[in-house]
Amino acid sequence: MPSSRRGIHLRYTFETAKATSQLGAEIENPLFDLLSALQAHGSISAAARAQNGSYRHAWSSLKHWEDVLGAPLVHWGQGKRARLTPFAQRLMWAERQARVRMTPHVEALRAELARVFALADDATLQVLEIFASHDLGLPRLQALAEECDGLHIGLRFAGSQEALRALKDGRCRVAGFHVAQDAAPDSVMARALRPLLQPGQHKLIGSHWRRQGWIWRPGEPRPDSIAALRTGRWRFVSRRPASGTRLLTDHLLEQSGLQPEQVPGYTTRMEDTHVAVAAAIASGAADVGIGIEAAAIQAGLVFSPLVHENYYLLCLKEDLETPPLRALRKRLASPAWAEALEKLPGYGVNRPGEVLALTQALAWWRYTKPKQ
């Protein structure tokens, strides 16, 4: 039997800009790269050629990993196509799931390392730390700002509430959060976010809108209402507490007269990002969830809209006219940002780059005391 305890060692490398072709949060691993090549090509020799390596090296690598893991990885026979063992297939599936869940964190780590070493090379580089609720558009904004404006955005994904708390605590200079366009003053979202927004201290910046709704596998039924989740017929995957989408789902449950604990698995089957929710459903680990349309389409799933929501950026009033914030607002207002969002299903710009009053942008905003 394979050992249940295995050490994991992570490392990163430095390369010249011309030599670096890795994109996003891709992670190289010799074992899984070799297994993927074997699965695709059906023989050790073909897998070795695909990796620009030798048969001998691929063979010895396989034997090494089988010794380390304590289980066979490949079935092969004379004249037959090489096949991954059930253990190797489970290993690849588990590793893919882990990659999906960790993608936002790996992207944040890569951005942080790039920021640190860029600062060491160029003291004139503008840097802006952003904590934001998970979103598929913001990494595109990050790339545009760095490429076109020399603005390096250190992007870290957190829940809407956590992002706003990070701004309050001084851990970032910009926070990203989202809220349903039709949120009422007494909604779950309004009650959770209102205490974290300070009119005299904060400035709200427009960015984009997006659609959130049901996500499920093609050919299978979905709940006809949020209340149907109470039956337990569908394995529902939710988001972590304090995330904007969790607040949205809590809001929908409250509108239906349900408490979270009345939905089987609601507080135990959770994921960190929209992409991870979609991956859980696509893999069969869950049946249905609520997330953004772009994540559903990316995973080959079906999407049905429930709400339109606005995504905002928030900064301190004193930072609004600093060079990094001016560069960010200019990039948000640019045609390039609108074009980038057009490529994401269920996305579009919403007063991008404009400085907005809380009472103007948030219909549910109310001052604790009447403004004099």
Side-chain angles (χ1 to χ4, degrees):
M1 293 292 292
S3 171
S4 61
R5 298 185 63 185
R6 300 185 181 93
I8 303 297
H9 176 73
L10 303 177
R11 65 181 180 180
Y12 63 88
T13 60
F14 294 106
E15 295 181 351
T16 63
K18 290 183 179 180
T20 303
S21 60
Q22 193 177 41
L23 299 174
E26 294 178 3
I27 305 172
E28 296 176 353
N29 181 281
L31 169 60
F32 294 106
D33 292 345
L34 178 56
L35 291 179
S36 295
L38 271 167
Q39 190 175 52
H41 299 283
S43 73
I44 296 178
S45 57
R49 287 194 299 270
Q51 294 189 297
N52 297 317
S54 67
Y55 177 93
R56 181 178 180 180
H57 176 73
W59 174 270
S60 63
S61 293
L62 274 174
K63 303 311 291 182
H64 166 73
W65 290 115
E66 287 182 341
D67 289 342
V68 169
L69 297 171
L73 297 172
V74 182
H75 291 310
W76 57 73
Q78 188 67 32
K80 294 183 179 180
R81 182 180 178 88
R83 295 177 295 107
L84 299 185
T85 64
F87 170 67
Q89 293 174 3
R90 294 194 302 272
L91 195 65
M92 287 188 65
W93 176 86
E95 197 265 351
R96 280 195 297 267
Q97 290 294 104
R99 287 196 190 205
V100 167
R101 292 190 177 103
M102 292 304 297
T103 290
H105 308 291
V106 175
E107 288 176 344
L109 176 61
R110 184 192 299 279
E112 178 65 14
L113 290 172
R115 182 187 72 84
V116 169
F117 291 105
L119 284 174
D121 289 336
D122 182 6
T124 65
L125 183 71
Q126 297 184 85
V127 178
L128 189 62
E129 295 293 333
I130 298 181
F131 276 48
S133 184
H134 183 243
D135 183 75
L136 294 186
L138 290 185
R140 300 183 179 214
L141 176 64
Q142 181 185 39
L144 280 172
E146 185 159 356
E147 178 182 354
C148 303
D149 309 308
L151 173 64
H152 185 89
I153 294 176
L155 179 61
R156 183 176 301 181
F157 287 126
S160 287
Q161 288 175 283
E162 174 60 22
L164 293 173
R165 292 190 185 105
L167 179 65
K168 178 183 178 182
D169 297 340
R171 289 179 283 146
C172 65
R173 296 180 68 187
V174 174
F177 71 99
H178 55 94
V179 65
Q181 293 177 355
D182 61 353
D186 61 346
S187 66
V188 172
M189 291 167 286
R191 297 198 304 268
L193 298 178
R194 188 185 292 115
L196 300 172
L197 301 171
Q198 303 298 324
Q201 182 181 2
H202 293 147
K203 288 295 181 179
L204 196 66
I205 302 170
S207 180
H208 58 281
W209 62 265
R210 62 187 194 179
R211 281 193 289 265
Q212 289 229 53
W214 293 111
I215 298 176
W216 75 100
R217 287 186 296 279
E220 298 188 7
R222 70 158 175 86
D224 57 5
S225 68
I226 196 79
L229 294 174
R230 185 177 187 177
T231 65
R233 177 182 175 186
W234 293 271
R235 293 173 299 161
F236 183 79
V237 55
S238 62
R239 292 287 300 281
R240 301 283 180 188
S243 70
T245 300
R246 178 62 172 264
L247 290 175
L248 169 64
T249 314
D250 288 347
H251 165 68
L252 295 173
L253 287 174
E254 185 177 80
Q255 283 187 322
S256 297
L258 292 180
Q259 295 297 319
E261 55 269 18
Q262 292 178 284
V263 177
Y266 188 79
T267 58
T268 57
R269 189 183 296 117
M270 298 178 288
E271 295 290 352
D272 287 328
T273 67
H274 295 283
V275 174
V277 166
I281 296 168
S283 69
D287 298 321
V288 67
I290 290 176
I292 57 174
E293 182 175 356
I297 302 304
Q298 180 178 290
L301 300 171
V302 187
F303 176 84
S304 178
L306 283 169
V307 298
H308 282 67
E309 60 183 14
N310 292 330
Y311 200 107
Y312 298 107
L313 300 175
L314 193 76
C315 71
L316 296 177
K317 178 181 179 180
E318 62 199 53
D319 285 336
L320 186 63
E321 296 302 329
T322 59
L325 264 297
R326 287 202 303 268
L328 177 67
R329 288 157 51 200
K330 182 178 179 181
R331 179 49 50 199
L332 286 168
S334 71
W337 174 230
E339 292 169 5
L341 288 183
E342 285 177 359
K343 298 175 183 177
L344 287 172
Y347 270 78
V349 292
N350 176 44
R351 308 187 69 175
E354 292 186 37
V355 180
L356 308 171
L358 291 174
T359 53
Q360 175 188 23
L362 305 175
W364 46 265
W365 177 263
R366 295 290 185 275
Y367 289 98
T368 304
K369 298 180 180 178
K371 188 176 181 181
Q372 298 298 319

